[in-house]
Amino acid sequence: MMAGVNASAAFASDNAAPAHPAVLEAVIAANQDPAMSYGSDDITSRAAALIRETFDSPHAEVLFALTGTGANVIALTAATRPWHAILCSDIAHSLVDEAGGPVRLSGAMLTVLPSDDGLIDPAALAAHAARRGSVHHSQPSIVTITQSTENGRLWRADAIKEFVDEAHHQGLLVHVDGARIANAVAALGVSPLEAMGDADIVTVGGTKNGLLFGDAILVRRPERFDGIRFVHKQIGHLPSKHRFVSAQFEALFTAGRWLELAAHANTMAARLAAGFVERGLTLASPTEANEVFVLLEPELHARVAARFAVHAPDPQRPVYRFVCSWATTDREVDAVLDLLR
């Protein structure tokens, strides 16, 4: 069932949310005077320093990309060669939603690991790592996980530490796709470093958390990603007027704003999920961050779709995804729940 012609995009995705006013103000402020291009400006230096400080990674490099897909592709391409394998979950964004970008740009193959809503058992790494050295198999190089996962689940601090430690024990690098890492940190109540484990490279989401556009790449072990700046440039994610991307991140990471916005989105999702359960509906996955997955029969979905555009991630199941953002209001949540009385 398609959404109504005038359906609201309020729950379609956190990508659909407007930019936060502080972000817009930062872009306007960055537009007042000329500045050095390609990231050589003071704004970019300040924004990078804020991210390093926030993630307790003083020796990391920080790159800014225009999109989350671009950030993931840059991270994975810099870690691999064409004979390598990138391990990922069966619902990974890099596998399902990036149009083969990581494969095309890196030449490496994506190797799928079974998961529970994107959460992977560390034991699943050993069998693939055992193939290292055999000329008949692609060589595992890096594993990518998502925090929070594509199905809205959280890697708990102890679980992600165990997973990353095991990956390192198996000789693998670890990439964390942190498109919604702010939501994970806010929900878990832990430090950003604990939420990503000892990962080697992290995509730090901005687009889904109040920015016009832009995600950052925290390269925590630059020596393992030789050439990443060339990949960054090659695939067109080093804009000449770089300050307009980094200025947004400076606004986002000033005074804890990134967590404040994410916490609001999580609160709205929890309220929506509780309302669904009160109305006798079944959640397809636990609501742990800012995404709610609910089973809706055709009549109920038709009622909702007439007012709100929502995504169906699995065409084989009547599961619908509602995503809350920094801009989601109590009134919008109530409007959905009123449709389901």
Side-chain angles (χ1 to χ4, degrees):
M1 177 74 69
M2 299 295 291
V5 174
N6 297 314
S8 167
F11 298 98
S13 173
D14 32 16
N15 290 325
H20 191 273
V23 167
L24 297 177
E25 291 168 7
V27 172
I28 293 170
N31 195 47
Q32 300 307 306
D33 298 298
M36 297 298 290
S37 55
Y38 298 108
S40 299
D41 59 279
D42 292 341
I43 295 173
T44 297
S45 295
R46 293 197 303 266
L50 274 172
I51 292 173
R52 281 193 290 267
E53 180 183 359
T54 299
F55 285 87
D56 195 15
S57 302
H59 304 298
E61 284 190 60
V62 178
L63 307 178
F64 296 98
L66 300 173
T67 68
T69 292
N72 287 342
V73 168
I74 291 165
L76 297 173
T77 297
T80 53
R81 299 296 180 266
W83 55 88
H84 283 157
I86 301 163
L87 308 183
C88 66
S89 84
D90 47 1
I91 61 169
H93 198 274
S94 294
L95 173 74
V96 177
D97 289 304
E98 293 180 354
V103 174
R104 178 172 183 177
L105 273 298
S106 70
M109 68 179 293
L110 284 167
T111 297
V112 178
L113 304 176
S115 76
D116 175 16
D117 282 339
L119 303 174
I120 306 169
D121 187 335
L125 298 172
H128 293 277
R131 293 181 171 183
R132 187 175 285 111
S134 171
V135 74
H136 301 290
H137 302 289
S138 295
Q139 301 296 289
S141 172
I142 189 167
V143 58
T144 177
I145 59 176
T146 307
Q147 174 75 301
S148 57
T149 77
E150 291 79 3
N151 280 6
R153 301 293 301 281
L154 295 172
W155 285 89
R156 306 289 169 180
D158 56 345
I160 200 166
K161 181 183 185 304
E162 179 187 2
F163 184 89
V164 174
D165 287 350
E166 178 62 21
H168 286 161
H169 176 71
Q170 298 295 343
L172 296 165
L173 294 170
V174 179
H175 165 245
V176 173
D177 179 347
R180 296 186 175 96
I181 196 165
N183 301 95
V185 174
L188 290 168
V190 300
S191 72
L193 185 61
E194 290 174 298
M196 66 182 181
D198 189 27
D200 302 287
I201 193 164
V202 182
T203 301
V204 180
T207 305
K208 298 182 189 302
N209 195 29
L211 268 58
L212 284 165
F213 55 84
D215 281 40
I217 308 164
L218 181 70
V219 192
R220 299 189 67 244
R221 293 186 173 84
E223 70 278 5
R224 302 299 302 273
F225 297 87
D226 183 42
I228 192 168
R229 290 189 175 273
F230 293 98
V231 178
H232 186 212
K233 172 65 175 179
Q234 261 191 342
I235 70 168
H237 280 264
L238 179 64
S240 57
K241 295 186 178 181
H242 204 274
R243 64 192 183 278
F244 295 117
V245 182
S246 49
Q248 299 177 73
F249 275 94
E250 185 177 24
L252 188 65
F253 279 86
T254 295
R257 183 174 287 117
W258 73 302
L259 292 183
E260 176 187 330
L261 301 186
H264 174 80
N266 293 350
T267 298
M268 292 295 99
R271 188 167 181 271
L272 182 63
F276 285 154
V277 172
E278 288 172 4
R279 284 154 180 75
L281 300 175
T282 300
L283 299 180
S285 298
T287 299
E288 296 180 344
N290 69 316
E291 298 177 278
V292 183
F293 294 81
V294 63
L295 290 159
L296 293 178
E297 294 302 320
E299 187 274 332
L300 288 180
H301 174 245
R303 199 184 302 172
V304 171
R307 289 277 307 279
F308 295 97
V310 291
H311 175 56
D314 184 349
Q316 305 303 316
R317 300 178 66 207
V319 176
Y320 297 93
R321 184 189 73 166
F322 293 74
V323 188
C324 297
S325 76
W326 74 268
T328 303
T329 65
D330 288 328
R331 180 178 295 180
E332 288 167 334
V333 171
D334 289 341
V336 172
L337 298 177
D338 286 344
L339 291 170
L340 300 174
R341 288 193 183 281

